Amino acid sequence: MHPQRKQKLLIILFMLGGISLAVTLMLVALKENINLFYTPSQIAAGEAPKHRTIRAGGMVVEGSVRRADDDLTVRFDVSDGNSSVTLSFTGILPDLFREGQGIVAMGKINESGDFIASEVLAKHDENYMPPEVADAMEKAKFEKKYGATHDDNSGKPRTAESY
């Protein structure tokens, strides 16, 4: 192989290696920082990963808010219409937080299956609902009304998204 051709080949290989390393590092960083949204039904079914930061949302169940006497810990249930999950949050809740309102919480599920929220976001007016919560509520209403039916071609259950 000609020395000049060999030098060009080495330069191209180093450039490809550098680009591959940069893309790999970028993908690893994105994977660690992504917070996926899970509905209370998915969390109750065990689909949500444990010890990983996720977002959960739904409507705060009426009469479910329980405040601790000795600290700022608040426990409340969140429902999507099918299932409800108990969330625990230590801190000051947003001013707009109340029963019957939509919320999105960011946190982790511990070993015992409890959702420990690190941040709670409440909707900002009576007409707004976070898109993830609205989709989850619509899907839960559809499945409650029609149930999951099987698609003839795939054998997989059909839900609101598959129609």
Side-chain angles (χ1 to χ4, degrees):
M1 184 181 291
H2 195 271
Q4 197 173 23
R5 186 176 267 182
K6 188 176 183 178
Q7 185 179 11
K8 284 182 183 180
L9 182 64
L10 284 174
I11 290 171
I12 290 172
L13 288 175
F14 279 122
M15 286 176 57
L16 284 174
I19 291 170
S20 298
L21 179 65
V23 168
T24 301
L25 291 174
M26 198 167 45
L27 290 175
V28 167
L30 285 174
K31 184 178 178 185
E32 290 178 3
N33 291 327
I34 195 165
N35 298 319
L36 298 175
F37 180 84
Y38 289 90
T39 64
S41 295
Q42 290 173 313
I43 294 171
E47 295 176 24
K50 293 184 179 187
H51 302 296
R52 180 125 195 251
T53 301
I54 62 170
R55 291 183 301 144
M59 302 297 280
V60 178
V61 177
E62 295 281 340
S64 69
V65 177
R66 300 170 301 281
R67 298 179 189 274
D69 294 330
D70 56 347
D71 64 1
L72 294 174
T73 301
V74 179
R75 295 178 62 80
F76 55 93
D77 296 337
V78 175
S79 176
D80 63 359
N82 272 348
S83 298
S84 64
V85 174
T86 301
L87 278 72
S88 177
F89 176 71
T90 302
I92 299 173
L93 289 167
D95 291 337
L96 297 174
F97 177 88
R98 61 185 167 272
E99 296 174 351
Q101 297 295 318
I103 62 110
V104 174
M106 192 177 318
K108 297 180 180 183
I109 299 174
N110 63 14
E111 280 299 322
S112 60
D114 298 328
F115 188 93
I116 310 300
S118 58
E119 182 178 7
V120 174
L121 304 172
K123 68 180 202 161
H124 60 77
D125 73 17
E126 61 192 42
N127 298 321
Y128 175 78
M129 185 174 294
E132 298 98 341
V133 175
D135 292 343
M137 298 287 285
E138 185 178 319
K139 180 180 174 185
K141 285 179 188 173
F142 178 86
E143 289 176 355
K144 195 174 204 177
K145 185 174 182 179
Y146 298 108
T149 59
H150 289 283
D151 185 7
D152 296 332
N153 297 333
S154 67
K156 295 180 182 176
R158 292 185 89 176
T159 59
E161 288 91 24
S162 63
Y163 283 99

